[in-house]
Amino acid sequence: MIIADYHTHTRYSHGTGTPEDNVKAAIDRGLSRIAISEHAPAHMLFGVHGGHLRALRKEVDRLAQKYAAQIEVLMGLECNLTAYGRADLPSNADLAPFDVLLLAYHKGVFPLDGFCLARTAEAFLHTQPDPVRTANALLAAAEAYHIHMFAHPGLYVRADIPTLARGAKELGVLLEINSARVTMSQEELRATAALGAAFVIGSDAHSPARVGDFELALSTAARAGVLEHVVNYKAG
Ligand SMILES: [Zn+2]
Ligand SMILES: [Zn+2]
């Protein structure tokens, strides 16, 4: 079973529930930890910024206190790669510290350099920028911003997973096995485990009903034989 969900969205971006709905759903599912990990500000459609992000921070703190006896509630953020080695982690002191930082390339983010422009072209037009460079760009940003996990690696633009895994192991960053869609092949999952990097399973829930729904990720991980490399998996 999976004991923590570090990747959930709410109405603050394009999810359907409130943060409290997600927390209640996580308690019902028997989880011991949940993170509200909204899209970071650079996402043009779903990014949470300014006063909204501050309000979310307050709400997460309130929920953490209210439900402390039942579950650990964490403040997360799903950051966007905005340029080579750069992410849109807000620097405001009143928002910090984030308990869980995710990082991914997303469409709908204004590219700040030619590197990200090429990836945006790939996401829309299926061009072929170097996947090794994509992996290295994610790793450079992960190091610079102290990222904890790569969300849905390989989604939207191809990243060389062995390169990502090697660097992730060195930095102590986790690769997410996303339970909303499969983004890594069985070979990539096995190669990651063989290289000594670890996984985390996340629901990427955009509704309370999907909080703690790990079915797709669990079956994908089990088939690849990498379950024991998933940090939030507990056998039995
Ligand atoms: Zn995402
Ligand atoms: Zn997400």
Side-chain angles (χ1 to χ4, degrees), residues 14-219:
H14 59 142
T16 57
T18 64
E20 190 154 12
D21 293 336
N22 281 18
V23 170
K24 285 182 181 162
I27 293 168
D28 288 346
R29 287 256 185 170
L31 301 184
S32 54
R33 278 175 152 187
I34 178 169
I36 307 298
S37 40
E38 282 299 9
H39 293 282
H43 200 295
M44 290 188 274
L45 299 173
F46 311 132
V48 184
H49 26 87
H52 290 283
L53 196 51
R54 271 193 294 279
L56 178 60
R57 163 92 258 180
K58 273 198 189 139
E59 177 62 359
V60 169
D61 290 344
R62 183 186 76 83
L63 296 171
Q65 280 215 328
K66 180 172 173 184
Y67 294 98
Q70 289 145 286
I71 194 166
E72 197 178 344
V73 181
L74 305 175
M75 178 70 176
L77 196 67
E78 185 174 7
C79 298
N80 302 290
L81 189 70
T82 53
Y84 189 97
R86 278 177 63 194
D88 55 349
L89 176 65
S91 55
N92 319 37
D94 57 342
L95 291 170
F98 288 93
D99 303 306
V100 184
L101 288 175
L102 293 76
L103 174 67
Y105 173 86
H106 287 99
K107 293 194 264 188
V109 174
F110 188 78
L112 294 183
D113 67 355
F115 170 85
C116 269
L117 187 63
R119 270 69 199 166
T120 302
E122 176 179 9
F124 287 102
L125 306 169
H126 306 290
T127 54
Q128 308 265 313
D130 181 359
V132 171
R133 215 161 123 69
T134 303
N136 284 328
L138 286 163
L139 288 164
E143 186 171 20
Y145 300 92
H146 307 289
I147 297 295
H148 299 104
M149 53 189 78
F150 293 118
H152 46 67
L155 185 66
Y156 306 125
V157 299
R158 286 163 313 119
D160 186 72
I161 299 298
T163 302
L164 195 65
R166 246 175 253 121
K169 189 205 170 188
E170 220 166 274
L171 295 173
V173 178
L174 305 167
L175 274 74
E176 182 195 47
I177 303 177
N178 190 285
S179 207
R181 55 222 134 172
V182 175
T183 70
M184 287 180 284
S185 68
Q186 296 278 299
E187 296 74 57
E188 287 173 331
L189 290 169
R190 280 191 280 267
T192 299
L195 287 163
F199 301 104
V200 58
I201 283 181
S203 71
D204 205 353
H206 286 72
S207 68
R210 276 216 62 251
V211 170
D213 171 2
F214 303 120
E215 229 178 282
L216 177 66
L218 277 173
S219 59

